[in-house]
Each structure stands twice: as C-alpha cells, then as structure tokens.
Amino acid sequence: MPRADRTKPRGGQGDKRQALLTGALTVFARDGYTRASIDMIADEAGVSTRTLYNHFQDKARLFQAVIEESASRVAEAQTALLDRHLRKVTNLETDLIELALAWGTPMPDSAEHFALVRQVNAEAGHIPAPAIKAWREAGPLRVRRELARHLRRLADEGLLRVEDPERAALHFTRLVSVPGPHDGGLTLTRKERAEHVASGVRVFLYGYGR
Amino acid sequence: MPRADRTKPRGGQGDKRQALLTGALTVFARDGYTRASIDMIADEAGVSTRTLYNHFQDKARLFQAVIEESASRVAEAQTALLDRHLRKVTNLETDLIELALAWGTPMPDSAEHFALVRQVNAEAGHIPAPAIKAWREAGPLRVRRELARHLRRLADEGLLRVEDPERAALHFTRLVSVPGPHDGGLTLTRKERAEHVASGVRVFLYGYGR
DNA sequence: TACTCAGTACAACGTACGTTGTACCCTGGC
DNA sequence: GCCAGGGTACAACGTACGTTGTACTGAGTA
C-alpha cells in the first residue's frame, strides 16, 4: 500500500525519497540486502523502479542511506529517553528500570530497525568500511557515549561508583537488553520483560551502585 | 585447496561430505546464505557441484546441515571448557576469569562459527522454524543450560547466591562476551580482552557472589 | 576381467535480478 | 495555453544462479 496516494499532496522533492527510504527499510529489514529486490522496494514505496534510480545511484547506496537514517532516528529517540529518565534522578533503581523498560519496549518500527541491525551485522564484510564506521558513529556508539556521559555525571553526584563509564554503559545495555525472538527464544510477556529488566538493573547496581 | 588429495585414501562415504560441510561453512560464514553460490562452495570443498547435490538435496538443506553441525561442534567445545574450569573451583573469581578468557579467545575456526551465527540471526526469518529451533537447542541453549547447571551447583556449594540459574547464565555470558569487530568496533589486544573479561566477571560476582 | 559406485566435467534450462533507455503523463507555474 | 520537471510504464540487456541430465573416469571388489 503506497504511502502518498492522497491526491498527490505535493510534488515537492523529498517526498518520494522519504517513501523510498521507509519502504526500503521495511524490505531490507525483512529480507536482507541480497534477497531484497529493487522491484519489491519500489512496490513497497509505491514508486517506479526508475524513480528509485533517480534518487539513489544504486542498490548499495540506497542501503547505506537506509541504515544511516534508521540508525540516526533510533539513536535520537534513545538519547531522548536517556535524557528523560536520567536528567534528574529521584530513585536511581526505579529510574534505571523505567529507562530500561522504555528502552526495550517495542516501539512500532523499532522492530524493523533492530532486524536491520542484524542484517548489517551479518553483511558487515560486504559494506565499505567507511559506511559501517559512519553507521556505528551515528547509531550505537553515539548512544553508548551518551549513556556513558550520564553515568559519569551520576558518579560525580555520588550516586554511582564508576571507573570506566564506557564499559559501564556497555555492561548496562547488555544486562538490560531483552532477548528477542532471535537471541533467547520466544517473545516475552510484559511481565517477563519487566522481571528480566529489573534483575538486570539489580545486577548492574550491585556492580556499580554506591 | 582440496582436503583429500593424498592418493584418494578411501572412497569411503562421508569423506567428500565432510569436505563439503567445512567448505560450505567457510563460504556461508563469509558471504551469507544468498551470496554464497553453489559453485563457490563446491570449489572450496574441491568437489564438483554434482556431488554436492548427490549428498544434499538442495542449498537450503545443506545450509541447515552446516549450521547444525557447527553449532554442535562449538557447543561441545564450550561445555568441555565449562567442565574444565568449573568442575572443581579453587578461587571462584580467577576460575571464572580463566573460563571467560578461554571462552572468548579466538580459536582457529570459532571466528567462522560466530560469523555463521550472525548469518543465522539475520536469516532467521527465512529458515523453517523447526530448523532454527533445532539449531538453538543444539547450540546456544544447550551451552547456557549447562552453564546454568554449574552455577546452580556452585550456589548449592555456597559459593554463589543464585535465584534463577538460567538468568544468571545469561547475565554471565553477556557480561564477559567480548565485542568483536562487529559489535563495538576494532579488534582488541590480549591485554584489553583480559581487562574487559575481568571487569565483566567482577560485575557478575558483585551481583551473584556471596 | 567385468561390475559397481562415487565422483567429475560439461552443457543446458529456466528464472530472477540490477540497471538503463525511452516514450509518455500529469501537475504547477509563467 | 504552454513549458518544465518529476514520475511512470515498459521493454531490453547482460549476467548470475540453482538445479538437473548425461556421458565419462577410475578405483576397489568379486
């Protein structure tokens, strides 16, 4: 189902381009780079393959554009979450739990994003090094650094005991990230997710709490 | 370079089959399922494509055979490591660190295996559900359960404080798994790996130690 | 020696895909 | 009313791939 079918709202440039980006995200995330065909992407975007090639040089560059924009968008959302939950902390444990819950709560398209992340990790050997580097910087590394910044500040305020904020950030994300259908097995109920997250935060605080 | 070139040692069945499995592992791990072509795999195994199809029905079943055998082999090695380091514990912290170090130390073909794991995680949506289930059971789940068994025993012996051994096992593996070239960024030196692993174990013991 | 059987080389088939060229359409602005 | 420019439909090209059939080889065995 095309996105823009309401009487051609505007021919303004960037309209079809955005449709292409989100359509390509869907298809790339579902099928991976090689399986995803140009025709499927164009169909998903409600666009002809020719316009696709008018906006992007080739499949590889389209893919790079997609992963970078997806990484940026999600990183933006996640750093916003960090700010919201860690800017002023009242009860550290409950705030961390709420952060981790919001973190792992499946937003509408975050599922697509993380599926795409798995594709990127698998495809990394076939993506030019600068592109993966840019992707990491715009996405996961940026978020981790931001989390590290917050943790260092909380340590300065005497709420945590942190030697290496970067490593602490890595430990936190690893402890609270919930196993999706891929990693561990089935999808979890809300209650199970909450338990999992709470126990992860507890272990984190045993290690880094004051 | 073919494996069996020493005057055709035996026409014994299973010879070429093994060559095919290891060759396919190499190619699948490097290029992923779709990129890997039958011709490349046959070449890598030093075998004609026709013999490939005499041993395996089609590409998909070859892939399933490859991932299951790789998972089993690595799971075997890892449970052996668990036994070796945790059967009798003298100093819990140093033993856990040694385990985690051996765990993350790149064995010759473990790199290929974990690359394959990334491929499987990306391709999961295109593999029949029973096959992924079998893979998980033969590989990661089996190891995690074994680790959980050890942790429960150590708790019974009073060395740990563990409520949910499965979750503790998950936390342990996540805390000590080293970021490869994919997850975090660059490859680490031996010293950095040791530091990373030690700090992971420390956090684990803060959470679960007695 | 003759048979068997795994393996090989080679060609063929159908299909799917990335990419480009081209002629046409429609809408917004002069 | 006309023009420009982004969008479309359609066909084409080259290529690569999965898979199968067939005729041949070469070693082990009765």
Side-chain angles (χ1 to χ4, degrees), chain A residues 35 123 136 174 177 182, chain B residues 35 123 136 174 177 182:
Chain A
R35 278 187 145 90
E123 208 75 358
R136 270 199 249 282
R174 288 202 176 171
S177 80
H182 45 292
Chain B
R35 277 186 146 92
E123 207 75 358
R136 269 199 251 283
R174 289 203 176 171
S177 80
H182 46 291

Side-chain angles (χ1 to χ4, degrees), chain B residues 10-100:
Chain B
R10 283 191 310 114
Q13 64 191 10
D15 194 8
K16 302 275 172 176
R17 185 188 173 89
Q18 191 54 42
L20 274 168
L21 283 174
T22 69
L25 169 61
T26 298
V27 180
F28 279 137
R30 176 181 358 106
D31 295 339
Y33 179 76
T34 32
R35 277 186 146 92
S37 81
I38 295 290
D39 288 317
M40 297 172 63
I41 295 173
D43 280 8
E44 181 77 27
V47 150
S48 80
T49 71
R50 205 60 182 80
T51 27
L52 189 155
Y53 279 103
N54 286 342
H55 282 279
F56 303 93
Q57 290 214 13
D58 52 19
K59 198 185 177 187
R61 314 241 196 168
L62 170 61
F63 187 67
Q64 294 176 24
V66 167
I67 67 178
E68 193 158 339
E69 120 127 5
S70 179
S72 297
R73 198 161 35 82
V74 172
E76 202 90 30
Q78 289 188 327
T79 57
L81 275 185
L82 288 180
D83 251 45
R84 172 129 42 93
H85 289 89
L86 297 186
R87 177 160 285 286
K88 33 185 57 180
V89 172
T90 64
N91 180 326
L92 184 55
E93 178 166 0
T94 64
D95 283 336
L96 283 179
I97 287 180
E98 273 179 37
L99 165 64

